[in-house]
Amino acid sequence: MATKNYDVKDLSLAKAGKLKIEWAARGMPVLKDIQARFAKEKPLKGLTLGACLHVTSETANLMLTLKSAGASLVLCASNPLSTQDEVAASLVKDYAIPVFAIKGEDNKTYYKHLNSVLDAKPQITMDDGADLISLLHSKRQDLLKNVIGSSEETTTGVIRLRAMQKDDSLKIPVVAVNDSDTKHLFDNRYGTGQSTIDGILRATNILLSGKVVVVAGYGWCSKGISMRARGMGANVIVTEVDPVKALEAAMDGFRVMKMSQAAKLGYLFVTATGDKNVISLSHMAAMPDGAIVANSGHFNVEIDVAGLEKKAKLKRNIRPFLDEYTLPSGKRIHLLADGRLVNLAAAEGHPSEVMDMSFANQALAAEYLVKNKGKLTAGVHVLPKKLDETVAKLKLKAIGAGLDMLTAEQSAYLSSWEEGT
Ligand code: ADE
C-alpha cells in the first residue's frame, strides 16, 4: 500500500490475524455460501462501503464477503476496546482493506477513525451502535447525499435510529439487521450469553458455581447471560423495569427484585439493558465487599463508572481488565473492562457460529439496499421474512439438521377456517 490509508497497531501482527480469520471462517458456512454467490453476481460492484463494527475475526470474514461482492471497503471500530489488533493488521496487510482501529484507542482517536471512514464517501454504511450514522447526520451531513442506505447490527443502535426517525432526523433508509429473527434470537441470546461469561472468566478466573449473580435486564442478551450463568451453577437474580419481561424471568425460575435489594445479595453483577446508571454509586455502596461489576450492553453508560472513580479513595489494576476500587467505607468493588462491553474487551466477542447468521444478514442487507435503491423511504426497515428464512435454511443445512415440509393437505388446513372441533 503506497500511502498510509489505515491506522492499526502493528502490521507485524498480521500473520496471527490471518490464522484467526481463517479459523473463524470454519464456523461461518452461511456467510461463505453468500460469498460464493456474491463473487459471481457482484451485487456491490463499484460501490464504497464504510463499516463501523467490532474489528474481530468474524467481522473480517464479513469484510471478505463484501469485497467479493465488488465493494471497496473501509472499516473502523465500533468500540474503543473491541478491536483485535492482529485481525486489523491482517485485513490491511493480507487483504488490502483499509482499517482504522486500535484496541484501547482514546475517544478522540475513536472519532478520528470514524471520520476516516466517512472521508472515503461511502454509498453504504454499516454500524454497530449507530455512531457512524449519528456522525453522518450531525457533523458530516454534506456526505448524506451520496448514501444509498445503511444497516445497523445491534439493539442499542436500532433504538437510537428509531429515536432519530421519531424526531424526523433520519434522512436515509436503514436496515435494522438486529430485528431479523436469525440475528437477535441467536447472536443476542446464545452469543452474548456465552461470550459475556467468557469475558468475565478470562478477566477474573472466578468460580461461578454457587455464587449469586445479578443480571440487569431480561431482553435477549440478558436472557442468554442469565441462562448461561445458571448453567454454570450460579444462583441468578434478575432485575427489570418491564413488567412482562420481569414476569417472564420469574416464570423462567429466576428470583426477580429491585436492584436496590439485589445489590446487597450479589457477588457478580452484569448489566445488559441498554440504559444509563442501571448500577448507581449507591447500589455499589450497598454491595458486599469484593463484589464484581461488569457490563455487556453496547455503551459504557450502564454502570456509574464516573461516580465510582470520583468516590473511590484508591484504585488498583489487579489484572488485565480488572480494576479494584476502594470506597471510603473500606469496601472494595471490582470493575471489569472499564464498564465497557466485557465480552469483546476481555474476550473475543460472540463465537463465529452465531456471527455467521448475523453477518449473513448484514451482507444481505447491503445487497437489499442496493437492489432497492431509490425505493426505500428514509427510516428504519426490517429485512423481508424470506431472507430470514433463507439464512435459517442455509444454517440448518450447514449443521446437518433436517426440515420437514408442509404437505398440500396441511397447507390447505392452515389457510382454512371451516374445519373445527
Ligand atoms: N459483536 C459481538 N460479538 C462479535 C464478534 N465476534 N464480531 C463482531 N461483532 C460482534
Side-chain angles (χ1 to χ4, degrees), residues 54 56 58-59 128 343-344 348-350 355 359:
H54 302 299
T56 66
E58 290 76 24
T59 299
D128 187 331
N343 60 336
L344 280 140
E348 295 168 68
H350 306 350
M355 294 315 295
F359 285 164

Side-chain angles (χ1 to χ4, degrees), residues 186-262:
F186 302 93
D187 169 315
N188 299 23
R189 182 168 32 174
Y190 305 114
T192 312
Q194 179 168 316
S195 61
T196 301
I197 301 292
D198 185 15
I200 291 166
L201 297 186
R202 289 195 206 192
T204 61
N205 198 29
I206 55 168
L207 181 75
L208 283 183
S209 190
K211 299 283 175 28
V212 175
V213 174
V214 178
V215 179
Y218 206 62
W220 290 113
C221 293
S222 17
K223 264 184 197 150
I225 300 167
S226 307
M227 182 203 294
R228 291 299 178 243
R230 175 155 73 185
M232 292 190 79
N235 176 336
V236 178
I237 297 172
V238 170
T239 70
E240 246 303 340
V241 292
D242 179 319
V244 177
K245 288 186 181 149
L247 191 57
E248 195 184 0
M251 296 226 178
D252 281 345
F254 298 109
R255 279 191 286 168
V256 178
M257 61 185 79
K258 287 171 185 270
M259 182 58 87
S260 54
Q261 289 171 282

